[in-house]
Amino acid sequence: MSKSSSGALSTTLTLVGLAGLAGLTYAVWRFGASGPLPLHFNWEGHADRFGDRMQLVRLIGGMAAAGAAFSLLLVWMERLRDNAGWRDTLRLARNLVILALLFAAVTLGSLAMGSPAMGGNWGGPDRQLRITLAGMGLLFAIIGAVIGKVRPNPFAGVRTYWSLTSRLAWDKSNRLAGRLFLLVGAAALLAAPWAPMPLAMQLTVGAVLLSAVASVYESFRVWRTDPDRKPRKARA
């Protein structure tokens, strides 16, 4: 894929994601149930905070505004850099942030759009946890599929002292993170329809944290034996 087509694809994905956030904000405002709607669930999967539709609209709309502001910041940073690797990494970071915001917004929006007041069958916290687990699985599967290819950057990847002073440590720790996140994401997607809740959600969160710890340790392990590691430049 050429540089111009890669940039166009990244921009298209960003715009589609932002349009999705804006569209979901309007749909919840126009068609969502009035409430009370659960807005937060504790570790056991029970709703512990409720609100009305407008609170949900403000929350999702805030995500859309934050995503747009962050995207504009990264687009500005892309124009300042004359390095193709940096531009690709900034575009990837932009798309991952929009994807994460869209996942959170869809999860929250389903509370209003799938409630009994809308003729839906929300099914309580168990069903909501299954929706969240499936979305989380998809999100981490996508992150896992791309994170191993990113170059050193200030936004995305396994960023430790060791990975930032050793290109070998960066490459190997991010590849490990990609494989682990992809595995965890696929397992969460498969488990979402049938696994006991909230145990499956708790195990998934634990697996994500263990994957992150393993990737950080991998960066240290590889850095320790890398003869080409370099000291980080002192800040002025």
Side-chain angles (χ1 to χ4, degrees):
M1 183 180 293
S2 66
K3 294 179 182 179
S4 58
S5 60
S6 175
L9 176 60
S10 178
T11 300
T12 299
L13 291 174
T14 298
L15 292 175
V16 169
L18 290 174
L21 286 166
L24 185 59
T25 303
Y26 174 79
V28 172
W29 172 73
R30 182 69 177 82
F31 304 109
S34 59
L37 299 169
L39 298 181
H40 185 270
F41 295 89
N42 60 25
W43 187 244
E44 286 77 28
H46 301 298
D48 57 8
R49 185 163 67 89
F50 293 83
D52 58 21
R53 176 176 57 191
M54 291 312 298
Q55 284 181 277
L56 203 56
V57 168
R58 287 193 292 270
L59 184 57
I60 298 174
M63 292 180 185
F70 185 75
S71 297
L72 288 174
L73 172 64
L74 292 193
V75 168
W76 175 72
M77 292 180 66
E78 287 174 31
R79 296 182 180 277
L80 293 180
R81 292 277 180 172
D82 193 28
N83 182 290
W86 266 88
R87 287 197 298 268
D88 289 344
T89 301
L90 291 171
R91 289 166 183 166
L92 174 63
R94 176 174 16 121
N95 292 144
L96 288 179
V97 168
I98 295 298
L99 179 64
L101 290 174
L102 191 59
F103 155 68
V106 169
T107 301
L108 290 170
S110 66
L111 295 173
M113 305 305 293
S115 69
M118 288 295 297
N121 181 20
W122 173 60
D126 181 82
R127 183 164 187 172
Q128 186 59 32
L129 282 174
R130 294 186 187 281
I131 294 172
T132 303
L133 181 60
M136 183 184 297
L138 180 60
L139 177 64
F140 277 101
I142 294 173
I143 291 174
V146 300
I147 202 69
K149 303 174 184 177
V150 299
R151 297 177 175 90
N153 69 92
F155 295 106
V158 181
R159 299 188 69 254
T160 66
Y161 168 81
W162 309 296
S163 66
L164 293 175
T165 54
S166 165
R167 182 57 189 266
L168 183 63
W170 173 276
D171 291 339
K172 290 199 171 185
S173 60
N174 279 278
R175 285 171 190 159
L176 177 63
R179 290 193 292 268
L180 292 175
F181 283 159
L182 182 59
L183 180 62
V184 171
L189 274 172
L190 292 174
W194 58 269
M197 293 292 177
L199 179 61
M201 178 66 74
Q202 294 167 353
L203 289 175
T204 299
V205 173
V208 169
L209 293 176
L210 286 175
S211 298
V213 170
S215 302
V216 169
Y217 175 75
E218 177 72 358
S219 71
F220 167 71
R221 187 191 68 81
V222 176
W223 170 86
R224 188 175 52 182
T225 58
D226 181 11
D228 296 324
R229 66 181 187 231
K230 300 176 182 178
R232 294 186 68 177
K233 295 179 180 179
R235 293 186 177 181

